[in-house]
Amino acid sequence: MDKGSPEAAWREDCAPRRVLELFATKWTSMVLHTLHARHQGAARTGLLQRSLPGISKKMLTQTLRDMEASGLISRHVDSVVPPAVTYRLTPLGTRCVEPVELLYGWGRANADALDALQPRPSARRR
Amino acid sequence: MDKGSPEAAWREDCAPRRVLELFATKWTSMVLHTLHARHQGAARTGLLQRSLPGISKKMLTQTLRDMEASGLISRHVDSVVPPAVTYRLTPLGTRCVEPVELLYGWGRANADALDALQPRPSARRR
DNA sequence: CAGGATCCTCCACGATACTG
DNA sequence: CAGTATCGTGGAGGATCCTG
């Protein structure tokens, strides 16, 4: 592990940085939060989609795929006839939930302050 | 689109959700981390850019603007002749650092597991 | 029900050049 | 040094149809 860079900051491919980039997606953190806070760490695809207003089936699947590849969740195919797929938080993912929940809680705690400041998240001047 | 579903989950415009979307950007979390962990909560523009390999001047400014609008940081113009602008974490921003640092720490702690799982962050197969 | 395959839109992001 | 303006691009993200 070469950490000798004086001022060179963290390399672009270091693990923490890749983690932060993992969450630089629209749905990753919200899927994680929903899975944990609303479904005790396990839920089927349809339920997840219903729990995430606005997400498209494509993005749900894609996000779940990425999270699975990152070891945050695991995929379980229960049945066969009408496919019943359940996603569960892995131990790794469960440990990762804590920071996200803190961020979420921070948002709730400061909702008023945030509402007062931000007129609209997407309303950027043109 | 029918709104007001009974189990419609969290509304799309609730504060926590907007917070998570705030961090669904490439640089927000990294600017926050850098500002806190490497510069004790205050740094000038140039230093920030040098601390964030790969960021463009445009994105730096834009990210800083958004963070300022969200109350995470404050902007201080020190001099006049050669502009010397310093950005500082606000109390709000400082409290927000904790979750991000946890996420960052989680990445460091599980770097090996993450490296083993993820072949390449940008190499998405379809 | 889960999710692949397609097509398309739009904006996040980057490179460059310019101002004060 | 800090910031803006402009332009171009990739790819995230959405809608729709189709499969087992």
Side-chain angles (χ1 to χ4, degrees):
Chain A
M1 319 283 199
D2 172 48
K3 264 300 188 181
S5 313
E7 210 221 269
W10 10 323
R11 310 197 324 264
E12 301 198 19
D13 61 327
C14 67
R17 184 151 172 174
R18 275 190 288 118
V19 168
L20 294 186
E21 284 180 358
L22 210 181
F23 286 89
T25 343
K26 186 172 182 179
W27 298 106
T28 304
S29 51
M30 294 199 279
V31 167
L32 204 57
H33 166 75
T34 300
L35 207 47
H36 167 77
R38 288 174 54 94
H39 304 299
Q40 294 77 43
R44 291 181 51 180
T45 315
L47 179 57
L48 273 178
Q49 183 164 16
R50 267 174 277 124
S51 303
L52 292 164
I55 198 173
S56 66
K57 220 160 36 168
K58 175 191 169 186
M59 285 317 295
L60 213 214
T61 305
Q62 185 174 310
T63 303
L64 290 171
R65 286 282 175 280
D66 289 348
M67 293 173 67
E68 187 191 5
S70 304
L72 295 178
I73 59 176
S74 56
R75 186 170 177 272
H76 303 271
V77 182
D78 292 335
S79 167
V80 178
V81 186
V85 181
T86 301
Y87 292 93
R88 294 183 209 276
L89 284 176
T90 61
L92 193 66
T94 303
R95 266 178 275 126
C96 180
V97 159
E98 182 187 357
V100 176
E101 288 304 303
L102 272 183
L103 207 51
Y104 187 87
W106 178 85
R108 299 191 74 165
N110 303 281
D112 47 354
L114 292 169
D115 282 336
L117 281 168
Q118 220 164 17
R120 279 283 164 160
S122 55
R124 212 163 274 160
R125 72 188 132 101
R126 327 215 148 192
Chain B
M1 323 306 186
D2 60 310
K3 289 237 171 176
S5 311
E7 67 138 289
W10 10 322
R11 311 195 324 263
E12 302 197 18
D13 61 328
C14 69
R17 184 149 171 177
R18 275 190 288 117
V19 167
L20 295 186
E21 284 180 357
L22 209 180
F23 286 89
T25 335
K26 185 171 183 180
W27 298 106
T28 304
S29 51
M30 292 199 280
V31 167
L32 204 57
H33 167 75
T34 300
L35 206 46
H36 167 77
R38 287 175 54 95
H39 304 299
Q40 292 78 43
R44 291 180 51 177
T45 315
L47 180 58
L48 273 178
Q49 183 164 16
R50 266 174 278 124
S51 303
L52 292 164
I55 197 173
S56 64
K57 215 158 37 165
K58 175 191 169 184
M59 285 316 295
L60 213 213
T61 306
Q62 185 174 312
T63 303
L64 290 171
R65 288 281 176 281
D66 289 349
M67 294 174 69
E68 187 190 6
S70 304
L72 296 178
I73 59 176
S74 56
R75 186 171 176 270
H76 303 271
V77 181
D78 292 336
S79 168
V80 178
V81 186
V85 181
T86 302
Y87 293 93
R88 294 182 208 278
L89 285 176
T90 61
L92 194 66
T94 303
R95 267 178 277 128
C96 181
V97 159
E98 182 187 357
V100 176
E101 288 304 303
L102 272 182
L103 207 52
Y104 186 86
W106 177 86
R108 299 191 74 165
N110 302 282
D112 47 355
L114 292 170
D115 282 336
L117 281 168
Q118 220 163 19
R120 285 288 164 171
S122 55
R124 199 167 284 161
R125 290 280 149 204
R126 38 162 279 115

